[in-house]
């Protein structure tokens, strides 16, 4: 049997430096008999030469489009916006399974070309836990940016929003900047450290946010660690409004009452100055933070929220926060994903991949009739 070929594409999202494969996991796959083609990339945190030294074959950026149809295309973020049919099996985060804006246009490209989507967000183990996720580093980075925004807003006028940020070579450099921000902000409010409320604190994402706050020196008593028990009564929650920073780390799977809304923000006791929506369900109709409707970016990290009184309020809603720490985030994610990648050569019999394809078929079946036409053999035929 011919070896399975994996094709790592170059990410096209601005400032996306992460990678689904690292030189270490690439070598492991090569040693297991896979062929690994790696697109050259000007943005990836790992140099092209590191993959070449691991034994991968370097190919031109964007060449996945013309790769043989039996090659499996690996990536992280969504593909460039286009409408040509997709003929390959793609392993990536597609953000089209939860009725996000434009979901049908994204999903329909796969059946129209005979391709298959194996969405990384929905790869789970026997207990239902995701086999690999960027959650920890998303929470870590989100809390870091939220603290930076809090301090910045205390010391700069509204006409000067938080400047753009770029990725860090390592966590130590990020922590140095966050600690400096805390010192600046604390001095501006007479020595009072920020109170940070994290919802989803028991999950990977929430743990990352809490760990960042602790590592940066925020007293544990100022870190409110909420999870399902604390939110069971249903929002809006006055505790959020009375905190300086709110970091939302929940995984939204069904409609829930909003955590905050315009009415709760009108409280005279409001201290809330920064919301970091790590979950970033911006276009989800059930978004529990219905005070904003746009994603922000690393070059423009915050968006203002209209409020009736001081302090001013901003939202951070960057949908690839782990790219602030691309090397650590990629290494942790790719190592966790590796056992599943090893099973791709026999994915008909590997539960994680079989389940992912079944979910794809279920979602395709919900497409509007005009979008659900299946061509080729990729969806109906053998995998």
């Amino acid at each position: 049997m011919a070896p399975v070929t994996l094709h790592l594409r170059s990410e096209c999202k601005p400032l996306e430096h992460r990678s689904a494969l690292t030189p270490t996991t690439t070598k492991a796959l090569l040693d297991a008999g896979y062929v690994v083609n790696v697109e050259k990339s000007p943005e990836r945190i790992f140099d092209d030469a590191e993959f070449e030294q691991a034994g991968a074959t370097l190919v031109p950026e964007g060449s996945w489009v013309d790769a043989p149809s039996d090659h499996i295309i690996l990536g992280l973020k969504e593909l460039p916006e286009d409408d040509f049919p997709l003929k390959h099996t793609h392993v990536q985060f597609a953000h089209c399974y939860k009725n996000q804006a434009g979901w049908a246009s994204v999903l329909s490209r796969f059946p129209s070309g005979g391709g298959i989507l194996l969405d990384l967000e929905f790869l789970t183990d026997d207990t239902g836990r995701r086999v690999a996720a960027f959650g920890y580093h998303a929470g870590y980075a989100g809390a870091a940016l939220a603290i930076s925004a809090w301090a910045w807003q205390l010391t700069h006028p509204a006409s000067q929003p938080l400047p753009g940020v770029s990725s860090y070579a390592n966590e130590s450099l990020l922590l140095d900047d966050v600690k400096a921000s805390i010192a600046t902000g604390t001095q501006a409010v007479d020595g009072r450290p920020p109170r940070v409320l994290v919802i989803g604190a028991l999950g990977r994402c929430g743990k990352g946010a809490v760990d960042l706050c602790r590592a940066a020196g925020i007293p544990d008593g100022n870190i409110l660690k909420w999870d399902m028990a604390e939110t069971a009564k249903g929002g809006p929650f006055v505790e959020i409004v009375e905190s300086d920073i709110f970091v939302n780390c929940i995984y939204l799977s069904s409609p829930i009452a909003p955590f905050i809304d315009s009415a709760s923000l009108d409280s005279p006791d409001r201290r809330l100055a920064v919301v970091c929506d790590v979950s970033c369900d911006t276009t989800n109709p059930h978004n529990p933070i219905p005070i904003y409707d746009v994603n922000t970016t690393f070059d423009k990290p915050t968006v203002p929220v209209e409020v009736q009184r001081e302090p001013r309020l901003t939202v951070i809603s960057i949908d690839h926060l782990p790219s602030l720490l691309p090397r650590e985030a990629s290494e942790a994610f790719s190592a966790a994903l590796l056992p599943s990648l090893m099973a791709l050569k026999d994915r008909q019999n590997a539960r994680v991949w079989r389940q992912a394809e079944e979910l794809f078929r279920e979602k395709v079946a919900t497409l509007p009739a005009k979008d659900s036409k299946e061509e080729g053999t990729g969806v109906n035929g053998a995998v």
Side-chain angles (χ1 to χ4, degrees):
M1 187 191 318
V4 173
T5 298
L6 306 180
H7 184 118
L8 179 66
R9 60 178 172 81
S10 176
E11 299 294 328
C12 62
K13 193 177 186 72
L15 300 178
E16 178 56 84
H17 306 303
R18 294 173 297 167
S19 177
L21 294 181
T22 68
T24 299
T25 53
T26 295
K27 185 176 188 310
L29 289 163
L30 289 164
D31 290 346
Y34 287 87
V35 173
V36 182
N37 296 334
V38 175
E39 290 188 6
K40 297 178 181 179
S41 172
E43 293 288 338
R44 192 184 293 128
I45 187 62
F46 304 101
D47 292 337
D48 295 339
E50 294 181 70
F51 287 99
E52 192 170 38
Q53 289 166 7
T57 300
L58 296 182
V59 295
E61 185 177 11
S63 59
W64 67 267
V65 174
D66 299 314
S69 59
D70 62 342
H71 289 195
I72 298 173
I73 312 301
L74 300 181
L76 287 180
K77 300 302 291 183
E78 56 270 25
L79 297 170
E81 289 189 16
D82 213 321
D83 58 3
F84 65 85
L86 297 171
K87 64 182 181 181
H88 299 96
T89 292
H90 286 258
V91 179
Q92 65 174 78
F93 292 99
H95 305 296
C96 63
Y97 280 2
K98 297 190 289 185
N99 294 327
Q100 295 98 327
W103 72 273
S105 296
V106 173
L107 182 59
S108 63
R109 295 178 64 191
F110 294 92
S112 68
I116 296 173
L117 169 64
L118 303 175
D119 199 303
L120 288 166
E121 184 176 353
F122 300 92
L123 300 184
T124 58
D125 61 19
D126 292 335
T127 68
R129 183 175 174 82
R130 288 171 64 178
V131 299
F134 283 103
Y136 180 86
H137 286 94
Y140 198 96
L145 286 184
I147 292 169
S148 298
W150 167 78
W152 179 270
Q153 289 167 203
L154 286 171
T155 53
H156 295 79
S159 60
Q160 297 180 26
L162 181 70
V165 296
S166 56
S167 62
Y168 287 81
N170 57 62
E171 289 181 10
S172 295
L173 295 175
L174 172 63
L175 268 178
D176 287 344
D177 279 358
V178 175
K179 289 176 179 178
S181 291
I182 291 175
T184 299
T186 299
Q187 184 177 11
V189 287
D190 300 322
R192 177 180 59 81
R195 185 168 95 153
V196 183
L197 193 151
V198 178
I199 292 186
L202 297 182
R204 281 184 279 213
C205 179
K207 186 176 186 302
V210 171
D211 283 356
L212 180 282
C213 291
R214 286 173 172 160
I218 296 177
D220 205 58
N222 278 45
I223 309 170
L224 280 66
K225 299 172 277 290
W226 280 27
D227 211 89
M228 294 180 67
E230 291 79 9
T231 59
K233 63 182 180 182
F237 300 107
V238 65
E239 293 89 345
I240 295 177
V241 174
E242 294 177 355
S243 297
D244 299 285
I245 298 168
F246 167 41
V247 184
N248 178 42
C249 296
I250 71 159
Y251 179 81
L252 183 63
S253 57
S254 59
I256 58 175
F259 293 154
I260 50 176
D261 57 18
S262 296
S264 64
L265 292 177
D266 200 32
S267 168
D269 298 321
R270 178 174 66 84
R271 283 170 40 183
L272 186 66
V274 179
V275 173
C276 183
D277 189 6
V278 180
S279 301
C280 219
D281 282 307
T282 311
T283 63
N284 191 311
H286 307 301
N287 181 7
I289 309 176
I291 61 172
Y292 77 102
D293 59 5
V294 296
N295 284 347
T296 62
T297 59
F298 282 123
D299 59 342
K300 294 181 180 178
T302 61
V303 60
V305 176
E306 185 175 343
V307 290
Q308 303 303 314
R309 63 185 79 237
E310 291 293 326
R312 74 179 187 268
L313 175 63
T314 63
V315 172
I316 296 169
S317 57
I318 299 171
D319 66 3
H320 57 134
L321 281 167
S323 216
L324 199 64
L325 289 168
R327 184 172 289 272
E328 290 97 335
S330 297
E331 287 172 344
F333 179 86
S334 193
L337 184 63
L338 182 60
S340 298
L341 293 176
M342 289 288 196
L344 274 171
K345 64 176 65 177
D346 187 31
R347 77 173 198 259
Q348 304 98 316
N349 298 312
R351 184 202 55 78
V352 66
W353 297 115
R354 193 172 63 247
Q355 182 176 288
E357 184 171 346
E358 289 170 357
L359 180 61
F360 165 70
R361 294 177 188 275
E362 290 173 13
K363 296 299 181 180
V364 166
T366 68
L367 282 168
K370 67 181 180 64
D371 293 317
S372 61
K373 183 180 179 182
E374 295 184 1
E375 301 175 3
T377 60
V379 172
N380 290 319
V383 178

